[in-house]
């Protein structure tokens, strides 16, 4: 089998992502495991956005909404379970949960519903309207989270004990990393399959030419909405994991800076590349760690770097290393 | 009650007029150059900081105001020549990212120079004090003055666009870029001028709002997003739409925050009425935007989506 350069780079990235925490575990460097876990979670959020942005051409500037909704799903369910307060008593009693599987299901469903509503409105528009309106809806949810006092409002919500997973001690950093890495691998596999499927081809077509899709009997709106919802669900799942990583969720997960950051992961790595978000999130966290340690105002050089990438290196990291994208 | 209502109406009007100063620049830049500029809020911040610093140095608010216009316009020219110019032919994704990068640079740069603590601007002596509104409430003269100043600038902008040679060129640039270049107009310079004009308006708004609130890093971002809502409602590229949209958003936001908790207090107890009311009020303008889009996907005065 002849592997192309992108496949080799992807394999190296995957190997690094797994090897670094294992080495760190052996050396007792717990902090590094947490750092790589963060990379895996943020990469997962980016994998979600990449489906809408990279494959569907939908420049959503509001994916923090889904990231935050996933985070709040974790925070709210856990806080109700820990306080023994049911979430609702009518029409039937719903109690909280500290089981990750339950939390993930809720995060997936909640982000899907939010994306269905937001997508149904925003996909009526396109181009710059779409960018501004996705941003505006995310901002609406952000302000709602700030002014709604029940779950901490501006101060956010702490998760005192990390939520559980059957058979694993999730407080052990390497176990929690394993959970995140498996979910990231599943999401990568899913998006690779999705792109090659009939749906993926239709999405590719809808990105390039709406009219042509209509003329061959495919409704582009439904294709795009489905892609938007799937994309939001993956980002929402990442949000739930992120809340568990920090054991804290606050409106900042919903802020437009977060939307921008998730977008930056995708771009730094390479738009529409399978492993783009992994490379991007890795580079971002590395920069945050190296520059942030040396310089309080590390976002200044980050901004300059991002500007240079956008102006002069449009394929991102993977584009630099693997060359132009092959036509799908 | 009546005077409180009147006071809130004036506040809503004031926030609408200030929003117009932001939104008009954004919508012009989009209409003429086809560029979405997230860093417009940074120019607003530059204006506010320039005003605060110069006013503190010289003791004169008026010199600060001049400085805010000049600093924001200068920052606009620099940014246009160094960065924005390379983005006109790019897709919107590149524009969003590059201008997002500019926000990081402006915000962190400002934090580096001035620190994270807010600066405060004093209202000039001439406009200090209050007037008595019908009904007996006191209202700061300064707020009335910035409403008037904003309206004057808006009128000037309409005259500029509608009646002058520059305005004709700007409108021609919106209609057909290649054609006006073919007619021998220096399109690069026109773009720089339009960008600087938008930047100066944003800087002026920053100085005004900075005086009524505080001057700090990140102050431009909430306003930027409101300005996006405004131009989505009004129709991207339309100055008239920006004006109507600004007033609509300013009123809806202010009156919603004032009236919703009051209205809810008739059905629930006071504390939950306040919390539910303010949570709902914070969502109101986005609901308004969704409604407008539902009825007219390209905004009230938009030509095409």
């Amino acid at each position: 089998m002849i592997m192309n350069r992108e496949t080799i780079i992807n394999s190296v990235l995957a190997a690094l992502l797994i090897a670094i925490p294992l080495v760190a575990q052996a050396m007792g460097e717990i902090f590094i495991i947490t750092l790589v876990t963060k990379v895996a979670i943020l990469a997962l959020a980016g994998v979600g956005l990449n489906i809408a942005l990279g494959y569907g051409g939908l420049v959503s500037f509001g994916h923090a909404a889904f990231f935050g909704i996933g985070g709040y799903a974790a925070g709210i369910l856990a806080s109700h379970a820990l306080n023994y307060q049911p979430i609702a008593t009518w029409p039937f009693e719903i109690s909280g949960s500290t089981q990750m599987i339950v939390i993930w299901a809720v995060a997936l469903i909640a982000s899907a519903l939010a994306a269905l509503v937001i997508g149904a409105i925003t996909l009526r528009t396109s181009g710059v309207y779409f960018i501004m309106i996705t941003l505006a809806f995310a901002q609406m949810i952000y302000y709602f989270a700030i002014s709604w006092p029940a779950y901490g409002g501006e101060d956010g919500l702490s998760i005192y004990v990390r939520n559980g997973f059957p058979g694993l001690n999730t407080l052990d950093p390497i176990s929690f990393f394993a959970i995140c890495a498996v979910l990231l691998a599943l999401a990568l596999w899913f998006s690779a399959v999705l792109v090659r499927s009939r749906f993926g081809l239709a999405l590719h077509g809808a990105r390039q030419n709406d009219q042509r899709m209509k003329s061959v009997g495919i409704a582009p709106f439904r294709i795009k909405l489905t892609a938007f919802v799937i994309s939001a669900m993956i980002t929402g799942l990442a949000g739930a994991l992120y809340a568990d990583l920090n054991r804290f969720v606050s409106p900042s997960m919903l802020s437009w800076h977060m939307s921008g950051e998730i977008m930056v992961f995708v771009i730094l790595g390479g738009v529409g590349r399978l492993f783009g978000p992994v490379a991007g999130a890795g580079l971002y966290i590395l920069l945050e760690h190296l520059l942030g340690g040396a310089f309080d105002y590390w976002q200044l050089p980050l901004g300059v770097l991002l500007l240079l990438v956008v102006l002069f290196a449009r394929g991102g990291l993977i584009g630099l290393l693997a060359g132009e994208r092959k036509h799908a | 009650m009546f005077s409180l209502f009147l006071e809130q109406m004036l506040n809503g009007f004031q926030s609408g007029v200030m929003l117009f100063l932001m939104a008009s620049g954004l919508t012009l830049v989009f209409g003429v150059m086809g560029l979405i500029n997230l860093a417009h809020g940074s120019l607003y911040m530059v204006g506010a900081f320039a005003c605060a610093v110069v006013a503190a140095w010289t003791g004169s608010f008026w010199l600060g105001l001049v400085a805010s216009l000049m600093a924001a316009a200068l920052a606009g020219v620099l940014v246009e020549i160094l960065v924005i110019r390379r983005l006109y032919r790019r897709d919107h994704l590149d524009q969003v990212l590059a201008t997002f990068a500019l926000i990081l640079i402006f915000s962190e740069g400002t934090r580096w120079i001035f620190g994270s603590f807010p600066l405060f601007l004093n209202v000039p002596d001439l406009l200090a004090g209050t007037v008595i509104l019908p009904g007996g409430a006191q209202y700061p003269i300064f707020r009335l003055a910035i409403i008037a100043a904003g309206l004057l600038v808006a009128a000037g902008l309409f005259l500029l666009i509608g009646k002058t040679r520059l305005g004709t060129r700007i409108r021609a640039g919106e209609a057909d870029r290649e054609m006006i270049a073919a007619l021998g107009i220096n399109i690069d310079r026109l773009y720089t001028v339009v960008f600087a004009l938008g930047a100066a308006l944003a800087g002026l708004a920053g100085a005004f709002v900075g005086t009524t609130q505080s001057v700090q890093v990140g102050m431009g971002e909430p306003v930027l997003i409101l300005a996006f809502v405004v131009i989505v409602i009004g129709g991207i590229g339309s100055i008239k739409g920006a004006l109507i949209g600004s007033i609509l958003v300013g009123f809806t936001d202010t009156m919603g925050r004032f009236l919703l908790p009051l209205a809810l207090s008739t059905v629930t107890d006071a504390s939950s009425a306040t919390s539910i009311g303010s949570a709902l009020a914070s969502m109101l303008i986005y609901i308004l935007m969704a409604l407008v889009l539902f009825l007219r996907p390209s905004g009230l005065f938009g030509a095409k989506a």
Side-chain angles (χ1 to χ4, degrees):
Chain A
M1 192 179 92
I2 303 161
M3 295 212 291
N4 67 21
R5 262 159 78 187
E6 186 170 345
T7 318
I8 298 172
I9 291 165
N10 291 353
S11 317
V12 171
L13 282 172
L16 277 178
L17 196 71
I18 295 166
I20 294 174
L22 290 178
V23 172
Q25 172 83 353
M27 293 169 59
E29 297 276 357
I30 300 303
F31 176 67
I32 293 181
I33 303 178
T34 307
L35 219 53
V36 182
T37 310
K38 194 173 170 187
V39 171
I41 294 172
L42 295 178
L44 182 64
V47 169
L49 179 63
N50 205 19
I51 289 177
L53 182 102
Y55 305 131
L58 305 170
V59 184
S60 163
F61 203 176
H63 258 51
F66 312 120
F67 194 65
I69 285 172
Y72 271 96
I76 290 172
L77 283 170
S79 81
H80 278 281
L82 293 172
N83 297 330
Y84 301 103
Q85 277 174 340
I87 291 173
T89 48
W90 189 90
F92 44 84
E93 189 166 305
I94 304 171
S95 57
S97 174
T98 57
Q99 279 306 313
M100 282 189 185
I101 293 178
V102 177
I103 286 168
W104 296 344
V106 172
L108 287 168
I109 293 167
S111 351
L113 289 177
L116 204 59
V117 174
I118 294 178
I121 297 170
T122 52
L123 286 168
R124 289 164 57 87
T125 65
S126 62
V128 75
Y129 276 91
F130 184 80
I131 300 174
M132 290 186 192
I133 299 161
T134 46
L135 171 62
F137 277 117
Q139 224 33 40
M140 174 177 98
I141 297 173
Y142 170 73
Y143 284 121
F144 181 77
I146 281 188
S147 51
W148 187 258
Y151 296 108
E154 207 164 353
D155 299 330
L157 191 59
S158 286
I159 302 172
Y160 294 105
V161 182
R162 187 174 286 158
N163 295 303
F165 189 86
L168 284 176
N169 173 14
T170 54
L171 282 170
D172 176 23
I174 199 86
S175 306
F176 186 61
F177 168 75
I179 293 173
C180 298
V182 167
L183 287 175
L184 174 63
L186 282 174
L188 284 169
W189 170 79
F190 175 76
S191 67
V193 170
L194 188 80
V195 176
R196 287 189 180 79
S197 67
R198 286 164 59 97
F199 175 80
L201 292 176
L203 183 62
H204 192 68
R207 183 185 73 196
Q208 291 186 328
N209 194 330
D210 257 17
Q211 294 302 324
R212 200 185 294 159
M213 277 295 110
K214 280 182 192 157
S215 67
V216 295
I218 296 172
F221 179 81
R222 274 162 55 191
I223 298 283
K224 286 180 185 170
L225 186 58
T226 311
F228 191 71
V229 170
I230 293 172
S231 156
M233 288 169 80
I234 296 177
T235 303
L237 180 63
L241 292 173
Y242 197 68
D244 253 330
L245 174 72
N246 299 320
R247 279 176 273 162
F248 177 64
V249 49
S250 77
S252 71
M253 273 180 80
L254 292 156
S255 76
W256 77 305
H257 266 273
M258 196 69 232
S259 293
E261 275 174 30
I262 300 174
M263 207 182 237
V264 168
F265 307 147
V266 176
I267 308 306
L268 275 184
V271 187
R273 306 285 191 145
L274 184 62
F275 270 67
V278 181
L283 182 63
Y284 186 91
I285 296 300
L286 194 68
L287 286 175
E288 182 179 34
H289 188 60
L290 294 179
L291 294 175
F295 183 50
D296 277 348
Y297 306 99
W298 73 279
Q299 294 211 334
L300 184 66
L302 175 75
V304 174
L305 177 77
L306 180 61
L307 199 56
L308 293 175
V309 168
V310 176
L311 291 180
F312 304 111
R314 298 178 67 189
L317 199 60
I318 294 197
L320 275 178
L321 297 174
E324 288 283 300
R325 179 164 37 160
K326 304 281 184 295
H327 289 289
Chain B
M1 186 60 214
F2 170 73
S3 67
L4 197 59
F5 186 77
L6 194 66
E7 197 180 329
Q8 294 296 328
M9 292 282 277
L10 281 171
N11 282 343
F13 196 55
Q14 183 230 311
S15 101
V17 170
M18 288 302 111
L19 264 178
F20 174 72
L21 293 184
M22 277 292 279
S24 57
L26 265 181
T27 208
L28 257 184
V29 166
F30 184 81
V32 178
M33 289 97 103
L35 177 100
I36 171 171
N37 178 22
L38 296 181
H40 206 63
S42 299
L43 299 166
Y44 172 91
M45 178 183 75
V46 166
F49 270 92
C51 185
V53 167
V54 170
W57 266 353
T58 60
S60 161
F61 173 81
W62 306 106
L63 285 177
L65 212 54
V66 174
S68 76
L69 275 169
M70 285 168 53
L74 190 69
V77 169
L78 272 178
V79 162
E80 202 272 345
I81 291 174
L82 290 176
V83 179
I84 302 288
R85 189 169 278 190
R86 298 166 206 276
L87 298 170
Y88 295 140
R89 287 167 196 279
R90 298 290 192 85
D91 59 20
H92 292 316
L93 177 61
D94 284 358
Q95 298 174 349
V96 163
L97 283 161
T99 53
F100 182 71
L102 284 176
I103 293 180
L104 296 181
I105 295 170
F106 270 108
S107 292
E108 284 288 76
T110 312
R111 209 192 310 274
W112 195 9
I113 299 170
F114 294 99
S116 297
F117 291 104
L119 306 178
F120 292 95
L121 264 165
N122 287 324
V123 173
D125 290 338
L126 183 65
L127 301 173
T130 55
V131 286
I132 311 283
L133 294 178
Q138 297 199 325
Y139 198 77
I141 295 174
F142 184 73
R143 283 176 175 261
L144 289 177
I146 63 178
I147 292 177
L151 287 176
L152 264 177
V153 172
L157 190 62
F158 275 99
L159 281 179
L160 178 79
I161 303 283
K163 303 283 182 205
T164 66
R165 183 166 279 268
L166 176 64
T168 314
R169 288 178 177 172
I170 290 174
R171 280 180 289 133
E174 285 188 286
D176 193 333
R177 249 169 270 185
E178 273 100 45
M179 196 48 129
I180 69 159
L183 290 174
I185 288 162
N186 184 341
I187 196 115
D188 284 346
R189 202 168 60 208
L190 179 69
Y191 284 0
T192 311
V193 168
V194 170
F195 200 83
L197 176 67
L201 291 175
L204 188 65
F208 282 147
V209 177
T211 310
T212 60
Q213 294 162 7
S214 65
V215 176
Q216 56 189 326
V217 174
M219 64 184 288
E221 294 166 10
V223 191
L224 174 80
I225 288 159
L226 284 182
F228 277 165
V229 173
V230 163
I231 65 177
V232 166
I233 288 177
I236 300 177
S238 162
I239 300 266
K240 192 165 83 182
L243 183 63
I244 309 276
S246 300
I247 306 293
L248 210 57
V249 167
F251 267 115
T252 311
D253 197 35
T254 310
M255 296 318 277
R257 281 172 208 285
F258 170 56
L259 292 177
L260 267 178
L262 279 180
L264 282 170
S265 67
T266 56
V267 280
T268 59
D269 60 291
S271 75
S272 56
T274 312
S275 61
I276 299 172
S278 63
L280 285 179
S282 67
M283 300 170 75
L284 213 55
I285 53 165
Y286 304 101
I287 297 168
L288 175 74
M289 179 189 75
L291 268 177
V292 169
L293 280 176
F294 201 72
L295 301 172
R296 293 181 70 103
S298 53
L300 295 176
F301 295 92
K304 55 187 191 306

